[in-house]
Amino acid sequence: MRPDGLTPHSVVSGGDGMNLQSHDTLLILIAERDPTVRKLQELFLRRAGFAVEFADDGQAALERARLARPSLLVTEVLIPKLDGLALCRRLREDPLTKDIPVIVFSILSASARAAEAGANAYLRKPLVESVFVAAVQGLIAAQPTEVLEEQWTS
């Protein structure tokens, strides 16, 4: 982990053993406290062809989202410094991050609050690979091409 609270993103390997460049993979930024859930999220998303980066708290996730402009952000509600719902609101207020799709993923029953905060989707724990990956893929597929191209070139 780096001093800024971020874990460097994982590089996805192609079938030929070569690392794919960032233009070939989409970055998913995740703000999650539970190390077991983090490992599973990374495994599932890497298997689906995504690059993954983690932030340990909401403030680090906000700062990283502004810099990296990920294709999608996943946050739990109960994260330190800036909770997941506040993170979602702040992302929506910022012109640089307002179009990043957000999935709120929590053990709490917070779907209405997630929607009010501007989340594109809400998933309730426990983590189910097929549901999680389908939600990520569906939200990314729903983005206009111009937004994806802008995120790739930033």
Side-chain angles (χ1 to χ4, degrees):
M1 183 174 336
R2 300 182 332 206
D4 59 6
L6 297 173
T7 303
H9 75 276
S10 302
V11 177
V12 177
S13 293
D16 59 1
M18 304 210 31
N19 289 337
L20 300 174
Q21 299 300 313
S22 60
H23 293 294
D24 298 320
T25 57
L26 300 175
L27 175 63
I28 309 301
L29 178 61
I30 301 175
E32 169 65 53
R33 293 174 303 148
D34 186 319
T36 303
V37 173
R38 286 168 78 129
K39 286 178 186 175
L40 288 172
Q41 288 172 321
E42 182 174 20
L43 172 68
F44 298 160
L45 291 173
R46 283 178 51 115
R47 200 168 15 207
F50 296 102
V52 179
E53 186 170 305
F54 291 95
D56 291 329
D57 60 70
Q59 188 61 44
L62 180 62
E63 291 167 9
R64 187 64 187 147
R66 287 178 176 149
L67 291 174
R69 310 264 303 281
S71 297
L72 185 133
L73 186 140
V74 179
T75 182
E76 71 172 306
V77 174
L78 301 173
I79 51 175
K81 295 188 182 177
L82 184 66
D83 72 64
L85 299 177
L87 169 61
C88 192
R89 286 186 200 94
R90 298 275 298 272
L91 289 167
R92 294 297 173 246
E93 294 168 356
D94 188 329
L96 287 176
T97 60
K98 67 181 178 64
D99 294 322
I100 297 172
V102 176
I103 296 175
V104 172
F105 179 63
S106 181
I107 196 162
L108 301 175
S109 180
S111 61
R113 291 185 303 151
E116 289 169 7
N120 299 82
Y122 171 80
L123 296 176
R124 186 132 186 217
K125 290 182 180 179
L127 182 62
V128 176
E129 181 176 9
S130 60
V131 174
F132 180 62
V133 172
V136 169
Q137 291 172 331
L139 286 175
I140 288 175
Q143 286 192 70
T145 305
E146 304 80 43
V147 173
L148 288 175
E149 288 173 357
E150 184 178 303
Q151 289 172 350
W152 284 347
T153 59
S154 298

